[in-house]
Amino acid sequence: MKITYNISAMIANSALSRSDSDLSDSIGKLSSGYKINHAKDNASGLAMAKRMNAQIRSLEVAKQNANDGISVIEIAEGALVEVNEMIQRMNELSVKSANATMTLPEREMIEDEIDHLRDEIERIAETTMYNGQVLLDGTFDLRGYTTDNAIKVETYASEVRAGDYMIDSLDVTTDPVTGDITAVNVTLGANFPDGATVEYAKDSIFIKGANNFEMELRVKDNFTGPLKVTATGLGSLKMQIGSMEGQELHVRIPKISLRAMGIDKENYNVLNEENSQDFIAQISKALEYVNNARSQLGAYQNRLEHTDASLGVTTENMTAAYSRIMDVDMAEEMTEYTKNQVLVSAGTAMLAQANERPAQILQLLQG
């Protein structure tokens, strides 16, 4: 028996320390609900879980973004519903005006109503907003520019790749009174598709080619010379619909205006049968323009609704994976806690017993 070093007490104390540490870990897990509370618990698991948690939170925000995009489209499409109704009414009025039984005063009243409808279409296009941003004025359509102020890029199709398009020579003559194009001579150069055709109507030049290539150039004045046209590929409403960089959906909202639809007041009226017949044809094109815009917005909305559903499923599955790494099994941990609690109690008792052993040596000394 030795008193200088109480090996039994040291062994009991070491075991008690380990049991107490395990008990503390169990208490931490049971109180937090996590089985990884510190990096030492599972270093690689913690790193993986934190990355997952960041992605889950980003996916939740992306889901909100998708829903915001749906709201934007619903507002724009709702405005176009009313524009569509007004165009339908204008069509009815132009058909009525084309009838030979109508007198000039009656046609003037019809013209007055059509003028009010035109003004309302322009007002809706200028005031339809989401969060202070105008939606239907072309702000969120693709943009482009040219090297001369006499020619403006009005619009181009989504299939047109961003970049520079060279027109080697362009000679445009316009009517000094109406501003309409009277003659066009053009030689297309680099980057335009082979076999592209050139058409013109009113004050616009239309360049069309394979793979749905289409570009509209608006002519403001006579022009002669080469011209560089730049399609930026920018301007559409960018929706961040994923947790990573570049996971975006670009939403084009076409410009809604009387000119874009071809029913601007400066060129058409219904004050006689011939003009009424012409206006019926223009109304048909305007209706097609608005329907195409609504169809495009509807396709975007469908994509965003599918995106919203997909993000919901991804978030759910990612959360389940995160839970499997981080969440503690309460029943299992409670068993571990009970075991450690018993070991701590037993270790405490044994340490007390071990500390009593040196006192027994006194009995030998007394003898």
Side-chain angles (χ1 to χ4, degrees), residues 11-123:
I11 293 172
N13 183 60
S14 178
L16 177 59
S17 296
R18 288 194 299 269
S19 297
D20 185 64
S21 177
D22 291 342
L23 181 62
S24 297
D25 288 343
S26 291
I27 291 174
K29 293 175 182 179
L30 289 170
S31 60
S32 68
Y34 294 118
K35 62 183 174 185
I36 303 177
N37 291 299
H38 307 283
K40 67 182 181 64
D41 296 334
N42 185 344
S44 60
L46 180 66
M48 185 185 302
K50 290 305 179 182
R51 283 198 300 269
M52 282 187 178
N53 188 46
Q55 187 173 359
I56 289 168
R57 295 174 67 173
S58 297
L59 287 171
E60 290 171 350
V61 176
K63 194 172 188 297
Q64 294 174 8
N65 290 347
N67 282 305
D68 289 342
I70 291 172
S71 298
V72 170
I73 292 173
E74 285 177 341
I75 291 171
E77 205 269 333
L80 291 182
V81 169
E82 294 306 315
V83 172
N84 192 296
E85 291 296 323
M86 286 186 282
I87 293 175
Q88 291 282 16
R89 176 58 180 165
M90 291 165 67
N91 183 60
E92 295 172 4
L93 292 171
S94 60
V95 170
K96 182 184 289 291
S97 180
N99 193 15
T101 61
M102 301 296 293
T103 63
L104 180 59
E106 291 171 329
R107 288 196 175 100
E108 288 176 345
M109 288 187 286
I110 290 174
E111 174 76 7
D112 184 60
E113 182 177 351
I114 290 176
D115 287 344
H116 282 290
L117 291 172
R118 284 167 164 157
D119 292 341
E120 182 60 17
I121 289 174
E122 289 281 13
R123 189 197 68 79

Side-chain angles (χ1 to χ4, degrees), residues 237 241 248 273 333:
L237 184 65
I241 56 171
E248 302 172 340
E273 291 179 42
E333 195 58 41

